[in-house]
Amino acid sequence: QVRLVESGGGLVQAGGSLRLSCAASGYTGSATCMGWFRQGPGKEREGVACIYTGSSSTIYADSVKGRFTISQDNAKNTVYLQMNSLKPEDTAMYYCAASTRRLNWCLAGPANYDYWGQGTQVTVSA
């Protein structure tokens, strides 16, 4: 079992920045990929960014490339999502997730992830 706890969400003006954190506990060594997903009102959950825990390789959704950065601190068992140049369309509940599978594309979709945090709300005002 892997337990994930997100923090760092909040209200920010357009153009501002936030850093989300995801603290992992439990059998963290089983996670092969860590991902950040988001779900806006009336929308499906979508992948934002992910990182392979072994190589630290990253993948980003086109909508956040150049603005968001995912990183990991293995000593702290924590994954971060630095979000810059935020836009109102970034408003959503953000979820951290862990996968124990061998994924060729770690943004393949929520069904490929086994463990989820409770989410943290990000609201960007115009």
Side-chain angles (χ1 to χ4, degrees):
Q1 289 282 345
V2 177
R3 182 169 180 259
L4 304 173
V5 179
E6 303 100 330
S7 60
L11 173 64
V12 64
Q13 289 187 331
S17 298
L18 283 173
R19 188 177 81 156
L20 306 183
S21 299
C22 172
S25 61
Y27 191 39
T28 57
S30 64
T32 57
C33 301
M34 298 293 296
W36 284 99
F37 292 77
R38 66 186 181 187
Q39 188 165 17
K43 297 183 179 179
E44 292 187 355
R45 192 167 296 190
E46 63 172 353
V48 175
C50 57
I51 186 167
Y52 290 91
T53 58
S55 66
S56 295
S57 296
T58 58
I59 299 175
Y60 296 92
D62 288 343
S63 58
V64 306
K65 277 181 184 176
R67 299 189 299 123
F68 291 12
T69 303
I70 187 172
S71 62
Q72 61 181 355
D73 185 333
N74 293 328
K76 296 182 178 180
N77 285 332
T78 301
V79 175
Y80 302 98
L81 185 68
Q82 178 67 44
M83 305 186 295
N84 299 328
S85 302
L86 283 161
K87 305 175 181 180
E89 50 263 43
D90 294 318
T91 294
M93 184 71 81
Y94 282 71
Y95 297 91
C96 174
S99 177
T100 61
R101 313 174 198 202
R102 288 180 172 266
L103 300 178
N104 290 325
W105 183 256
C106 59
L107 277 187
N112 293 286
Y113 283 76
D114 306 293
Y115 302 100
W116 292 84
Q118 82 288 349
T120 185
Q121 178 68 38
V122 172
T123 302
V124 185
S125 62

